[in-house]
């Protein structure tokens, strides 16, 4: 059985008590903290920056997985690396030189990821698989939490799984958007191994119960 990872997105957390929220979700069994960065330019929303990443870093020992929904990306990458990010991913449309941006992330000592929106073609992967530690498939259009899962994303997950397996490389396949207890197994069957969930976890009173229920579904 693959190793599955649950990555709660703090986009849905209570920002008035963020340190407590990340400690609680870590204690509940989270594998990563997913950190959504939006710039009101690449996506129509404005969220959080490196200062917040730096603030929560002392509260968690698990990796912080930063998803940059910003354009351009290169300027902000070193700031997040310095703030304590372990993994930084970005959208190919947001970089003029994808290979250079991936190398910049790695040069900062972080793992590097590439993110694909529902309408973004996978050909961007053709010549950069050697620089990837993670590929993230968006199962919603980015910009807002709480959206419904787009079923077509399952085909894209399966296509990326084929590419990863053919490459022979150890690359995580993450899915983000509308992931819940009742559809996480579908995404896993398509080939995903890392699952971002926001409102499905932070919107519930018992984080551990949700994460445990997700793991039960993944084990079936």
């Amino acid at each position: 059985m693959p190793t599955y990872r649950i990555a709660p997105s703090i986009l849905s957390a209570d920002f008035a008590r963020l340190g407590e929220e990340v400690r609680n979700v870590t204690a509940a069994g989270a594998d990563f903290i997913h950190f959504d960065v939006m710039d009101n330019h690449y996506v129509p929303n404005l969220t959080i920056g490196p200062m917040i990443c730096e603030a929560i870093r002392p509260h968690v020992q698990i990796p912080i997985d930063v998803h940059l929904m910003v354009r351009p990306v290169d300027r902000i990458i070193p700031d997040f690396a310095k703030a304590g990010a372990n993994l930084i991913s970005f959208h190919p449309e947001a970089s003029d030189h994808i290979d250079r941006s991936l190398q910049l992330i790695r040069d900062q000592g972080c793992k590097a990821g590439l993110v694909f929106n529902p309408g973004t073609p996978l050909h961007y992967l053709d010549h950069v698989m050697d620089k990837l530690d993670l590929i993230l498939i968006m199962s919603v259009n980015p910009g807002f939490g709480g959206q419904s899962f787009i079923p077509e994303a399952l085909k894209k997950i399966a296509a990326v799984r084929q590419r990863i397996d053919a490459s022979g490389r150890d690359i995580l396949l993450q899915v983000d958007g509308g992931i819940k207890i009742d559809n996480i197994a579908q995404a896993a069957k398509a080939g995903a191994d890392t699952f971002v969930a926001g409102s499905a976890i932070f919107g519930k009173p018992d984080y551990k119960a949700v994460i445990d229920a997700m793991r039960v579904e993944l084990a079936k």
Side-chain angles (χ1 to χ4, degrees):
M1 180 183 292
T3 299
Y4 293 120
R5 297 166 182 84
I6 308 292
S9 168
I10 60 170
L11 185 64
S12 299
D14 181 351
F15 275 73
R17 50 189 191 90
L18 197 50
E20 181 184 352
E21 287 276 70
V22 295
R23 290 195 304 270
N24 288 345
V25 83
T26 301
D31 299 293
F32 292 171
I33 296 295
H34 191 76
F35 195 101
D36 286 305
V37 184
M38 306 183 191
D39 65 353
N40 194 35
H41 179 62
Y42 178 69
V43 290
N45 201 356
L46 184 65
T47 57
I48 46 182
M51 289 176 63
I52 304 298
C53 184
E54 185 177 13
I56 68 168
R57 181 71 272 180
H59 293 269
V60 292
Q61 283 69 55
I62 60 175
I64 295 177
D65 161 30
V66 172
H67 172 196
L68 295 178
M69 289 165 270
V70 305
R71 184 195 289 129
V73 298
D74 289 6
R75 162 62 188 84
I76 203 75
I77 285 168
D79 293 348
F80 273 102
K82 184 178 178 182
N86 301 97
L87 196 153
I88 300 174
S89 57
F90 65 93
H91 294 252
E93 305 95 328
S95 171
D96 290 327
H97 304 282
I98 296 166
D99 183 89
R100 180 189 292 165
S101 297
L102 290 169
Q103 189 59 51
L104 175 60
I105 293 170
R106 291 186 150 207
D107 288 346
Q108 300 295 314
C110 296
K111 293 185 176 182
L114 208 54
V115 190
F116 291 84
N117 292 331
T120 302
L122 295 176
H123 65 74
Y124 290 105
L125 291 172
D126 288 348
H127 303 289
V128 297
M129 293 289 280
D130 61 318
K131 287 189 171 68
L132 289 174
D133 301 288
L134 176 143
I135 299 168
L136 168 52
I137 300 302
M138 295 298 296
S139 43
V140 298
N141 287 293
F144 299 94
Q147 299 184 68
S148 297
F149 185 90
I150 297 173
E152 185 70 19
L154 295 171
K155 295 179 184 177
K156 187 173 275 189
I157 292 168
V160 174
R161 171 49 62 196
Q162 287 184 335
R163 284 177 178 247
I164 292 173
D165 291 348
S167 76
R169 296 183 177 276
D170 184 17
I171 301 172
L172 297 178
L173 178 45
Q174 188 176 71
V175 58
D176 180 3
I179 292 293
K180 296 179 169 54
I181 294 168
D182 61 4
N183 64 12
I184 193 169
Q186 280 182 288
K189 185 178 180 181
D193 53 39
T194 307
F195 307 88
V196 177
S199 56
I201 295 175
F202 284 109
K204 302 296 188 292
D206 188 339
Y207 302 161
K208 187 176 188 302
V210 178
I211 292 174
D212 286 351
M214 287 179 168
R215 294 200 191 279
V216 168
E217 290 298 311
L218 291 170
K220 288 181 179 177

